[in-house]
Amino acid sequence: MKSILVTGASGQIGSELVAKLQDVYGEDNVVATDIRKSPDAAQQSAGPFEILDVTDGKRMFEIAKQYDVDTVIHLAALLSARAEENPQLAWNLNMTGLVNGLEVARQLDCQFFTPSSIAAFGPSTPKSGTPQDTLQRPNTIYGVTKVSGELLCDYYHSKFGVDTRGVRFPGLISYVTPPGGGTTDYAVEIYYHAVQYGNYTSFIGKGTYMDMMYMPDALDAIVQLMEADGDKLVHRNAFNITAMSVAPEDIESAIQELMPGFAVSYAVDPVRQAIADSWPSSIDSSCAEMEWGFRPRYDLGEMTKDMLLKLHRKLQVKTS
Ligand SMILES: NC(=O)c1ccc[n+]([C@@H]2O[C@H](COP(=O)([O-])OP(=O)(O)OC[C@H]3O[C@@H](n4cnc5c(N)ncnc54)[C@H](O)[C@@H]3O)[C@@H](O)[C@H]2O)c1
């Protein structure tokens, strides 16, 4: 990776990934693009930024050519809960955007990364210790686009030799940019509410286990996989990766270690609960560990400490 185009760069992952890539590869070598600028001026990319609607393949190609990029990191997508509200938009954005990104990579000989998700699994998938290679029959439109995307990335590698790579992200927890409408968003909100109000009402029910990861580990995983020796990759796309499998009450307990008065109540949203129930409770990331050395640094306790510290600073709330 020497010159990198990032789509969906103003979102939860992109806003932090662009800054990290700029640190590693140089400010001018990362071209951030999105359909909108970041609403938070502080998060606006310091390097080049271009408005790009990823469904416009011609414009994507022009920007990639103009900046002579050798890598495309394609993040723009509609996430699970928002996709269920507008399945047609989700299919169009997630699939047309992906095909356009892959075509740019094919025509300009770029390395290509896009994230899949634990949403690529479904109710018939083994629920715990979910293997890398297993049944994938998701029943959400988001999941359908993610499985299709995994297959398409494999196809572009085998058919055209494009160096496609990817991971299946679990729910990502971060304090910089709010999440964009996923089912695991509760695991971010819970920290904001702990700091701002001292309590939280969860839209995901008690006992619902899902995989999660702290953003710094997710960003490291992207760079590590992209820099990995391609000859050692058996799977290339859609590596299972996770740092923890947690339910709302586990996060509640971790927060209570530092904020004893914190309490969670429940008002379950049936739509997002049904999505959560269709996903694995814990996935097996051993292929990523073996093939490219994936190893997360943050467990629930370490992540909670850091999240609360950073949110207290960000929201300027005094620690008691
Ligand atoms: N955040 C997570 O927990 C998570 C988990 C698994 C997978 N993923 C995947 O990671 C990727 C990035 O997710 P995120 O959490 O940063 O999402 P996000 O919703 O926070 O950001 C998506 C960005 O895409 C932009 N966008 C929307 N329509 C666009 C268009 N037509 N053209 C260009 N940009 C457009 C939005 O403005 C937004 O900035 C997605 O593919 C998502 O499926 C995320």
Side-chain angles (χ1 to χ4, degrees), residues 261-316:
F262 177 67
V264 170
S265 56
Y266 294 88
V268 172
D269 167 16
V271 174
R272 286 179 286 186
Q273 184 65 42
I275 297 175
D277 289 341
S278 77
W279 292 354
S281 54
S282 69
I283 61 172
D284 170 21
S285 54
S286 54
C287 288
E289 288 158 32
M290 283 185 295
E291 292 176 39
W292 50 277
F294 166 73
R295 184 192 288 263
R297 287 178 292 145
Y298 288 88
D299 61 13
L300 177 59
E302 286 304 311
M303 175 181 78
T304 298
K305 241 187 267 169
D306 201 57
M307 273 296 280
L308 292 178
L309 180 73
K310 300 290 172 34
L311 281 177
H312 273 104
R313 273 190 210 146
K314 175 176 173 169
L315 303 168
Q316 295 180 323

Short mmCIF file of all heavy atoms in Angstrom, two decimals, residues 261-316:
data_model
loop_
_atom_site.label_atom_id
_atom_site.label_comp_id
_atom_site.label_asym_id
_atom_site.label_seq_id
_atom_site.Cartn_x
_atom_site.Cartn_y
_atom_site.Cartn_z
N GLY A 261 -22.46 2.96 40.23
CA GLY A 261 -23.89 3.29 40.22
C GLY A 261 -24.56 3.03 38.88
O GLY A 261 -25.79 3.17 38.75
N PHE A 262 -23.83 2.63 37.89
CA PHE A 262 -24.39 2.47 36.54
C PHE A 262 -25.38 1.30 36.49
O PHE A 262 -25.14 0.25 37.08
CB PHE A 262 -23.26 2.24 35.53
CG PHE A 262 -23.74 1.98 34.13
CD1 PHE A 262 -24.38 2.99 33.43
CD2 PHE A 262 -23.57 0.75 33.53
CE1 PHE A 262 -24.85 2.76 32.14
CE2 PHE A 262 -24.03 0.51 32.24
CZ PHE A 262 -24.66 1.52 31.55
N ALA A 263 -26.49 1.49 35.75
CA ALA A 263 -27.49 0.42 35.66
C ALA A 263 -28.09 0.36 34.25
O ALA A 263 -28.27 1.39 33.60
CB ALA A 263 -28.60 0.66 36.67
N VAL A 264 -28.39 -0.87 33.81
CA VAL A 264 -29.01 -1.07 32.49
C VAL A 264 -30.43 -1.59 32.67
O VAL A 264 -30.67 -2.49 33.49
CB VAL A 264 -28.18 -2.07 31.66
CG1 VAL A 264 -28.92 -2.48 30.39
CG2 VAL A 264 -26.82 -1.47 31.29
N SER A 265 -31.38 -1.02 31.92
CA SER A 265 -32.72 -1.60 31.84
C SER A 265 -32.96 -1.99 30.38
O SER A 265 -32.11 -1.71 29.52
CB SER A 265 -33.76 -0.60 32.34
OG SER A 265 -33.65 0.60 31.61
N TYR A 266 -34.09 -2.61 30.10
CA TYR A 266 -34.30 -3.16 28.76
C TYR A 266 -35.63 -2.72 28.15
O TYR A 266 -36.67 -2.76 28.83
CB TYR A 266 -34.24 -4.70 28.82
CG TYR A 266 -32.86 -5.18 29.19
CD1 TYR A 266 -32.49 -5.34 30.53
CD2 TYR A 266 -31.90 -5.45 28.22
CE1 TYR A 266 -31.22 -5.75 30.88
CE2 TYR A 266 -30.62 -5.85 28.56
CZ TYR A 266 -30.29 -6.01 29.89
OH TYR A 266 -29.02 -6.41 30.23
N ALA A 267 -35.57 -2.26 26.88
CA ALA A 267 -36.78 -2.03 26.08
C ALA A 267 -36.42 -2.58 24.70
O ALA A 267 -35.90 -1.87 23.84
CB ALA A 267 -37.12 -0.55 26.02
N VAL A 268 -36.66 -3.87 24.53
CA VAL A 268 -36.13 -4.57 23.36
C VAL A 268 -36.85 -4.14 22.08
O VAL A 268 -38.08 -4.07 22.05
CB VAL A 268 -36.25 -6.11 23.58
CG1 VAL A 268 -35.91 -6.87 22.31
CG2 VAL A 268 -35.33 -6.54 24.72
N ASP A 269 -36.04 -3.83 21.07
CA ASP A 269 -36.58 -3.49 19.74
C ASP A 269 -36.68 -4.80 18.95
O ASP A 269 -35.66 -5.43 18.65
CB ASP A 269 -35.62 -2.52 19.05
CG ASP A 269 -35.93 -2.35 17.57
OD1 ASP A 269 -37.04 -2.73 17.14
OD2 ASP A 269 -35.05 -1.86 16.82
N PRO A 270 -37.92 -5.24 18.61
CA PRO A 270 -38.07 -6.56 17.99
C PRO A 270 -37.30 -6.71 16.67
O PRO A 270 -36.82 -7.81 16.37
CB PRO A 270 -39.58 -6.69 17.76
CG PRO A 270 -40.20 -5.39 18.12
CD PRO A 270 -39.20 -4.54 18.83
N VAL A 271 -37.17 -5.62 15.91
CA VAL A 271 -36.49 -5.74 14.61
C VAL A 271 -35.01 -6.02 14.82
O VAL A 271 -34.44 -6.99 14.28
CB VAL A 271 -36.69 -4.45 13.76
CG1 VAL A 271 -35.87 -4.51 12.48
CG2 VAL A 271 -38.17 -4.25 13.45
N ARG A 272 -34.37 -5.19 15.66
CA ARG A 272 -32.93 -5.39 15.87
C ARG A 272 -32.65 -6.65 16.68
O ARG A 272 -31.64 -7.32 16.49
CB ARG A 272 -32.31 -4.13 16.50
CG ARG A 272 -32.20 -3.01 15.45
CD ARG A 272 -31.63 -1.74 16.01
NE ARG A 272 -32.59 -1.04 16.86
CZ ARG A 272 -32.40 0.16 17.38
NH1 ARG A 272 -31.27 0.81 17.14
NH2 ARG A 272 -33.31 0.75 18.14
N GLN A 273 -33.58 -7.02 17.57
CA GLN A 273 -33.38 -8.27 18.34
C GLN A 273 -33.44 -9.47 17.39
O GLN A 273 -32.63 -10.41 17.52
CB GLN A 273 -34.46 -8.40 19.42
CG GLN A 273 -34.29 -9.61 20.33
CD GLN A 273 -33.01 -9.54 21.18
OE1 GLN A 273 -32.68 -8.50 21.71
NE2 GLN A 273 -32.29 -10.66 21.29
N ALA A 274 -34.36 -9.44 16.43
CA ALA A 274 -34.47 -10.55 15.47
C ALA A 274 -33.18 -10.67 14.64
O ALA A 274 -32.71 -11.77 14.36
CB ALA A 274 -35.68 -10.35 14.56
N ILE A 275 -32.62 -9.52 14.28
CA ILE A 275 -31.36 -9.55 13.52
C ILE A 275 -30.28 -10.18 14.41
O ILE A 275 -29.56 -11.10 13.99
CB ILE A 275 -30.93 -8.13 13.07
CG1 ILE A 275 -31.97 -7.54 12.09
CG2 ILE A 275 -29.56 -8.17 12.41
CD1 ILE A 275 -31.71 -6.08 11.69
N ALA A 276 -30.18 -9.71 15.64
CA ALA A 276 -29.15 -10.23 16.56
C ALA A 276 -29.31 -11.73 16.76
O ALA A 276 -28.33 -12.49 16.78
CB ALA A 276 -29.23 -9.50 17.90
N ASP A 277 -30.57 -12.17 16.89
CA ASP A 277 -30.82 -13.60 17.14
C ASP A 277 -30.43 -14.47 15.94
O ASP A 277 -30.20 -15.67 16.09
CB ASP A 277 -32.31 -13.83 17.47
CG ASP A 277 -32.66 -13.29 18.85
OD1 ASP A 277 -31.74 -13.10 19.69
OD2 ASP A 277 -33.87 -13.05 19.10
N SER A 278 -30.36 -13.86 14.76
CA SER A 278 -30.00 -14.64 13.56
C SER A 278 -28.48 -14.76 13.40
O SER A 278 -28.00 -15.45 12.52
CB SER A 278 -30.63 -14.01 12.31
OG SER A 278 -29.90 -12.85 11.91
N TRP A 279 -27.72 -14.03 14.22
CA TRP A 279 -26.26 -14.02 14.09
C TRP A 279 -25.61 -14.98 15.09
O TRP A 279 -26.23 -15.33 16.11
CB TRP A 279 -25.72 -12.61 14.36
CG TRP A 279 -26.09 -11.60 13.31
CD1 TRP A 279 -26.73 -11.83 12.12
CD2 TRP A 279 -25.84 -10.18 13.36
NE1 TRP A 279 -26.89 -10.65 11.44
CE2 TRP A 279 -26.35 -9.62 12.18
CE3 TRP A 279 -25.23 -9.34 14.30
CZ2 TRP A 279 -26.28 -8.27 11.90
CZ3 TRP A 279 -25.16 -7.99 14.02
CH2 TRP A 279 -25.68 -7.46 12.84
N PRO A 280 -24.35 -15.34 14.85
CA PRO A 280 -23.65 -16.18 15.81
C PRO A 280 -23.51 -15.49 17.17
O PRO A 280 -23.57 -14.26 17.26
CB PRO A 280 -22.26 -16.35 15.19
CG PRO A 280 -22.41 -16.04 13.76
CD PRO A 280 -23.51 -15.03 13.66
N SER A 281 -23.32 -16.31 18.22
CA SER A 281 -23.02 -15.72 19.53
C SER A 281 -21.51 -15.60 19.73
O SER A 281 -21.04 -14.78 20.52
CB SER A 281 -23.66 -16.53 20.65
OG SER A 281 -23.25 -17.87 20.56
N SER A 282 -20.76 -16.42 19.02
CA SER A 282 -19.28 -16.28 19.08
C SER A 282 -18.69 -16.96 17.85
O SER A 282 -19.11 -18.07 17.48
CB SER A 282 -18.71 -16.93 20.34
OG SER A 282 -18.85 -18.33 20.25
N ILE A 283 -17.74 -16.28 17.21
CA ILE A 283 -17.14 -16.86 16.00
C ILE A 283 -15.69 -17.28 16.26
O ILE A 283 -15.04 -16.77 17.17
CB ILE A 283 -17.22 -15.90 14.78
CG1 ILE A 283 -16.45 -14.59 15.05
CG2 ILE A 283 -18.65 -15.60 14.42
CD1 ILE A 283 -16.33 -13.69 13.81
N ASP A 284 -15.23 -18.21 15.45
CA ASP A 284 -13.87 -18.75 15.60
C ASP A 284 -12.93 -18.01 14.64
O ASP A 284 -13.11 -18.06 13.43
CB ASP A 284 -13.92 -20.25 15.26
CG ASP A 284 -12.54 -20.85 15.14
OD1 ASP A 284 -11.58 -20.27 15.68
OD2 ASP A 284 -12.42 -21.90 14.48
N SER A 285 -11.91 -17.34 15.21
CA SER A 285 -11.02 -16.54 14.35
C SER A 285 -9.66 -17.23 14.13
O SER A 285 -8.68 -16.56 13.80
CB SER A 285 -10.84 -15.14 14.94
OG SER A 285 -10.40 -15.20 16.27
N SER A 286 -9.61 -18.55 14.28
CA SER A 286 -8.30 -19.22 14.22
C SER A 286 -7.66 -19.16 12.82
O SER A 286 -6.43 -19.14 12.72
CB SER A 286 -8.40 -20.66 14.72
OG SER A 286 -9.38 -21.35 14.02
N CYS A 287 -8.45 -19.11 11.76
CA CYS A 287 -7.82 -19.02 10.42
C CYS A 287 -7.07 -17.69 10.28
O CYS A 287 -5.96 -17.66 9.75
CB CYS A 287 -8.87 -19.16 9.31
SG CYS A 287 -9.49 -20.82 9.17
N ALA A 288 -7.68 -16.59 10.75
CA ALA A 288 -7.00 -15.28 10.69
C ALA A 288 -5.73 -15.31 11.55
O ALA A 288 -4.71 -14.73 11.17
CB ALA A 288 -7.94 -14.18 11.16
N GLU A 289 -5.81 -15.98 12.69
CA GLU A 289 -4.62 -16.06 13.57
C GLU A 289 -3.51 -16.83 12.85
O GLU A 289 -2.36 -16.41 12.84
CB GLU A 289 -4.99 -16.77 14.89
CG GLU A 289 -5.86 -15.90 15.80
CD GLU A 289 -6.66 -16.73 16.81
OE1 GLU A 289 -6.18 -17.80 17.25
OE2 GLU A 289 -7.78 -16.30 17.14
N MET A 290 -3.86 -17.94 12.20
CA MET A 290 -2.83 -18.78 11.57
C MET A 290 -2.31 -18.19 10.26
O MET A 290 -1.13 -18.25 9.98
CB MET A 290 -3.40 -20.18 11.30
CG MET A 290 -3.46 -21.03 12.56
SD MET A 290 -4.01 -22.70 12.24
CE MET A 290 -5.66 -22.50 11.68
N GLU A 291 -3.19 -17.62 9.46
CA GLU A 291 -2.78 -17.21 8.11
C GLU A 291 -2.08 -15.84 8.08
O GLU A 291 -1.27 -15.60 7.21
CB GLU A 291 -3.98 -17.23 7.16
CG GLU A 291 -4.48 -18.66 6.91
CD GLU A 291 -5.72 -18.73 6.05
OE1 GLU A 291 -5.84 -17.97 5.08
OE2 GLU A 291 -6.59 -19.57 6.35
N TRP A 292 -2.42 -14.95 9.00
CA TRP A 292 -1.76 -13.62 8.97
C TRP A 292 -1.51 -13.02 10.34
O TRP A 292 -1.17 -11.85 10.46
CB TRP A 292 -2.51 -12.65 8.05
CG TRP A 292 -3.99 -12.52 8.28
CD1 TRP A 292 -4.95 -13.37 7.77
CD2 TRP A 292 -4.70 -11.54 9.04
NE1 TRP A 292 -6.22 -12.95 8.18
CE2 TRP A 292 -6.09 -11.82 8.96
CE3 TRP A 292 -4.31 -10.42 9.77
CZ2 TRP A 292 -7.07 -11.06 9.58
CZ3 TRP A 292 -5.29 -9.64 10.39
CH2 TRP A 292 -6.65 -9.97 10.29
N GLY A 293 -1.63 -13.86 11.38
CA GLY A 293 -1.19 -13.43 12.71
C GLY A 293 -2.12 -12.50 13.44
O GLY A 293 -1.68 -11.74 14.32
N PHE A 294 -3.44 -12.54 13.12
CA PHE A 294 -4.40 -11.67 13.84
C PHE A 294 -4.35 -11.95 15.34
O PHE A 294 -4.40 -13.09 15.77
CB PHE A 294 -5.82 -11.91 13.30
CG PHE A 294 -6.89 -11.33 14.18
CD1 PHE A 294 -7.07 -9.96 14.23
CD2 PHE A 294 -7.68 -12.14 14.98
CE1 PHE A 294 -8.04 -9.41 15.07
CE2 PHE A 294 -8.65 -11.61 15.81
CZ PHE A 294 -8.83 -10.24 15.85
N ARG A 295 -4.27 -10.88 16.14
CA ARG A 295 -4.32 -11.02 17.60
C ARG A 295 -4.79 -9.69 18.21
O ARG A 295 -4.04 -8.70 18.20
CB ARG A 295 -2.92 -11.35 18.12
CG ARG A 295 -2.90 -11.61 19.63
CD ARG A 295 -1.45 -11.63 20.09
NE ARG A 295 -0.79 -12.83 19.65
CZ ARG A 295 -0.65 -13.92 20.41
NH1 ARG A 295 -1.11 -13.93 21.63
NH2 ARG A 295 -0.01 -14.98 19.95
N PRO A 296 -6.03 -9.64 18.72
CA PRO A 296 -6.52 -8.37 19.28
C PRO A 296 -5.83 -8.04 20.60
O PRO A 296 -5.41 -8.93 21.34
CB PRO A 296 -8.01 -8.65 19.52
CG PRO A 296 -8.10 -10.14 19.67
CD PRO A 296 -7.01 -10.73 18.83
N ARG A 297 -5.71 -6.74 20.89
CA ARG A 297 -5.05 -6.30 22.13
C ARG A 297 -6.04 -6.04 23.25
O ARG A 297 -5.69 -6.07 24.42
CB ARG A 297 -4.27 -5.00 21.87
CG ARG A 297 -3.00 -5.20 21.03
CD ARG A 297 -2.31 -3.87 20.78
NE ARG A 297 -3.10 -3.01 19.91
CZ ARG A 297 -3.16 -1.68 20.03
NH1 ARG A 297 -2.53 -1.06 20.98
NH2 ARG A 297 -3.88 -0.96 19.17
N TYR A 298 -7.28 -5.70 22.90
CA TYR A 298 -8.24 -5.25 23.93
C TYR A 298 -9.28 -6.33 24.25
O TYR A 298 -9.96 -6.82 23.34
CB TYR A 298 -8.99 -4.01 23.44
CG TYR A 298 -8.14 -2.76 23.41
CD1 TYR A 298 -7.38 -2.45 22.29
CD2 TYR A 298 -8.08 -1.91 24.52
CE1 TYR A 298 -6.58 -1.31 22.26
CE2 TYR A 298 -7.29 -0.77 24.49
CZ TYR A 298 -6.55 -0.48 23.36
OH TYR A 298 -5.76 0.65 23.33
N ASP A 299 -9.39 -6.66 25.54
CA ASP A 299 -10.53 -7.47 26.00
C ASP A 299 -11.59 -6.51 26.55
O ASP A 299 -11.42 -5.28 26.48
CB ASP A 299 -10.09 -8.53 27.03
CG ASP A 299 -9.48 -7.89 28.29
OD1 ASP A 299 -9.63 -6.67 28.49
OD2 ASP A 299 -8.86 -8.63 29.07
N LEU A 300 -12.67 -7.05 27.10
CA LEU A 300 -13.77 -6.19 27.55
C LEU A 300 -13.32 -5.20 28.62
O LEU A 300 -13.67 -4.01 28.57
CB LEU A 300 -14.92 -7.07 28.08
CG LEU A 300 -16.14 -6.33 28.65
CD1 LEU A 300 -16.78 -5.41 27.62
CD2 LEU A 300 -17.18 -7.33 29.18
N GLY A 301 -12.51 -5.66 29.57
CA GLY A 301 -12.07 -4.79 30.67
C GLY A 301 -11.20 -3.65 30.18
O GLY A 301 -11.42 -2.48 30.53
N GLU A 302 -10.21 -3.97 29.34
CA GLU A 302 -9.29 -2.94 28.81
C GLU A 302 -10.03 -1.95 27.93
O GLU A 302 -9.79 -0.74 27.96
CB GLU A 302 -8.16 -3.60 28.02
CG GLU A 302 -7.12 -4.31 28.89
CD GLU A 302 -6.52 -3.37 29.93
OE1 GLU A 302 -6.10 -2.26 29.56
OE2 GLU A 302 -6.51 -3.75 31.12
N MET A 303 -10.93 -2.48 27.10
CA MET A 303 -11.70 -1.60 26.21
C MET A 303 -12.58 -0.65 27.04
O MET A 303 -12.65 0.55 26.74
CB MET A 303 -12.58 -2.45 25.29
CG MET A 303 -13.50 -1.62 24.41
SD MET A 303 -14.54 -2.64 23.37
CE MET A 303 -15.77 -3.18 24.54
N THR A 304 -13.22 -1.18 28.07
CA THR A 304 -14.13 -0.37 28.88
C THR A 304 -13.37 0.76 29.57
O THR A 304 -13.83 1.91 29.58
CB THR A 304 -14.85 -1.27 29.92
OG1 THR A 304 -15.62 -2.24 29.19
CG2 THR A 304 -15.77 -0.46 30.83
N LYS A 305 -12.20 0.44 30.10
CA LYS A 305 -11.37 1.47 30.74
C LYS A 305 -11.07 2.59 29.75
O LYS A 305 -11.23 3.77 30.05
CB LYS A 305 -10.05 0.82 31.18
CG LYS A 305 -9.78 0.88 32.67
CD LYS A 305 -8.39 0.38 32.99
CE LYS A 305 -8.41 -1.10 33.33
NZ LYS A 305 -7.11 -1.73 33.41
N ASP A 306 -10.64 2.22 28.56
CA ASP A 306 -10.24 3.22 27.57
C ASP A 306 -11.45 4.00 27.04
O ASP A 306 -11.39 5.23 26.91
CB ASP A 306 -9.51 2.53 26.41
CG ASP A 306 -8.65 3.51 25.64
OD1 ASP A 306 -7.78 4.15 26.27
OD2 ASP A 306 -8.88 3.69 24.43
N MET A 307 -12.54 3.30 26.77
CA MET A 307 -13.76 3.99 26.27
C MET A 307 -14.22 5.04 27.28
O MET A 307 -14.55 6.18 26.90
CB MET A 307 -14.91 2.98 26.08
CG MET A 307 -14.97 2.28 24.76
SD MET A 307 -15.26 3.35 23.33
CE MET A 307 -17.02 3.64 23.39
N LEU A 308 -14.29 4.66 28.55
CA LEU A 308 -14.81 5.60 29.55
C LEU A 308 -13.89 6.80 29.70
O LEU A 308 -14.34 7.95 29.79
CB LEU A 308 -15.04 4.89 30.88
CG LEU A 308 -16.19 3.85 30.87
CD1 LEU A 308 -16.30 3.16 32.22
CD2 LEU A 308 -17.54 4.50 30.52
N LEU A 309 -12.59 6.53 29.69
CA LEU A 309 -11.62 7.62 29.80
C LEU A 309 -11.77 8.59 28.62
O LEU A 309 -11.88 9.81 28.79
CB LEU A 309 -10.20 7.03 29.83
CG LEU A 309 -9.07 8.03 29.95
CD1 LEU A 309 -9.03 8.59 31.37
CD2 LEU A 309 -7.73 7.37 29.61
N LYS A 310 -11.80 8.04 27.41
CA LYS A 310 -11.85 8.88 26.21
C LYS A 310 -13.19 9.62 26.12
O LYS A 310 -13.25 10.77 25.71
CB LYS A 310 -11.63 8.05 24.94
CG LYS A 310 -10.29 7.33 24.89
CD LYS A 310 -9.16 8.30 24.71
CE LYS A 310 -7.74 7.76 24.83
NZ LYS A 310 -7.44 6.43 24.40
N LEU A 311 -14.28 8.96 26.53
CA LEU A 311 -15.58 9.63 26.46
C LEU A 311 -15.72 10.71 27.52
O LEU A 311 -16.33 11.75 27.27
CB LEU A 311 -16.72 8.61 26.58
CG LEU A 311 -17.01 7.84 25.29
CD1 LEU A 311 -18.09 6.80 25.53
CD2 LEU A 311 -17.45 8.77 24.15
N HIS A 312 -15.16 10.48 28.70
CA HIS A 312 -15.18 11.54 29.71
C HIS A 312 -14.48 12.78 29.17
O HIS A 312 -14.96 13.90 29.32
CB HIS A 312 -14.52 11.06 31.01
CG HIS A 312 -15.47 10.36 31.93
ND1 HIS A 312 -15.49 9.00 32.10
CD2 HIS A 312 -16.46 10.83 32.72
CE1 HIS A 312 -16.44 8.66 32.96
NE2 HIS A 312 -17.05 9.76 33.36
N ARG A 313 -13.34 12.56 28.49
CA ARG A 313 -12.61 13.71 27.90
C ARG A 313 -13.42 14.34 26.79
O ARG A 313 -13.59 15.56 26.74
CB ARG A 313 -11.29 13.20 27.31
CG ARG A 313 -10.20 13.18 28.32
CD ARG A 313 -8.87 12.92 27.61
NE ARG A 313 -7.99 12.22 28.51
CZ ARG A 313 -7.09 11.32 28.17
NH1 ARG A 313 -6.93 10.99 26.91
NH2 ARG A 313 -6.33 10.75 29.06
N LYS A 314 -13.94 13.51 25.89
CA LYS A 314 -14.66 14.03 24.72
C LYS A 314 -15.91 14.80 25.14
O LYS A 314 -16.21 15.85 24.60
CB LYS A 314 -15.06 12.86 23.81
CG LYS A 314 -15.90 13.24 22.62
CD LYS A 314 -16.17 12.05 21.71
CE LYS A 314 -17.15 12.41 20.63
NZ LYS A 314 -17.27 11.41 19.59
N LEU A 315 -16.64 14.26 26.10
CA LEU A 315 -17.90 14.88 26.50
C LEU A 315 -17.70 15.87 27.65
O LEU A 315 -18.66 16.45 28.15
CB LEU A 315 -18.91 13.79 26.89
CG LEU A 315 -19.19 12.75 25.79
CD1 LEU A 315 -19.96 11.56 26.34
CD2 LEU A 315 -19.95 13.38 24.63
N GLN A 316 -16.44 15.98 28.04
CA GLN A 316 -16.05 16.91 29.11
C GLN A 316 -16.87 16.73 30.37
O GLN A 316 -17.38 17.68 30.96
CB GLN A 316 -16.09 18.35 28.61
CG GLN A 316 -15.05 18.54 27.54
CD GLN A 316 -15.04 19.93 26.98
OE1 GLN A 316 -16.08 20.56 26.82
NE2 GLN A 316 -13.87 20.44 26.69
#
